[in-house]
Amino acid sequence: HHRRGFASVKVTQVSGSVRAPSSGDLSEAERSEVLGKLMHGPFGWRETEGDRDAITKTFEFSDFNRAWAFMSRAALLAEKMDHHPEWFNVYNRVEVT
């Protein structure tokens, strides 16, 4: 059984990166492995509340310009991966789901 939604997960931080296979849907085992890495350790993602099958993280930057620069870079990568996250920006914070 495969689940849609996490096939395009890619997160890179100073301490390392996690990348899910790009060849379509993840098996339950692959999904569990990727989610485990994202939600534990330095990455800090968490499951959304409610019935959504999604993960979320809030990034904080020193100012609006750095937050916007992050969003610009992330948007270019997301477009290449055909993944379009839900996100909100207020001054120096970017919440990504």
Side-chain angles (χ1 to χ4, degrees):
H1 181 281
H2 285 62
R3 292 172 73 164
R4 295 199 62 79
F6 292 104
S8 298
V9 173
K10 180 179 180 183
V11 176
T12 303
Q13 290 183 281
V14 175
S15 59
S17 67
V18 174
R19 181 164 171 77
S22 59
S23 60
D25 297 342
L26 298 177
S27 69
E28 286 297 324
E30 291 168 328
R31 184 178 192 272
S32 292
E33 180 182 348
V34 170
L35 286 175
K37 290 177 181 178
L38 289 173
M39 292 193 286
H40 298 95
F43 296 106
W45 288 84
R46 61 183 170 78
E47 291 184 73
T48 58
E49 296 179 11
D51 294 337
R52 293 185 66 187
D53 185 22
I55 56 175
T56 188
K57 180 175 179 172
T58 300
F59 296 87
E60 292 194 21
F61 301 89
S62 59
D63 58 30
F64 176 76
N65 287 334
R66 291 181 191 266
W68 191 266
F70 165 78
M71 291 177 70
S72 295
R73 289 189 308 272
L76 294 173
L77 289 172
E79 185 66 23
K80 285 182 183 179
M81 298 168 72
D82 196 30
H83 178 72
H84 304 95
E86 173 182 309
W87 56 12
F88 301 96
N89 167 242
V90 178
Y91 185 61
N92 68 333
R93 286 183 301 115
V94 179
E95 181 180 321
V96 181
T97 301

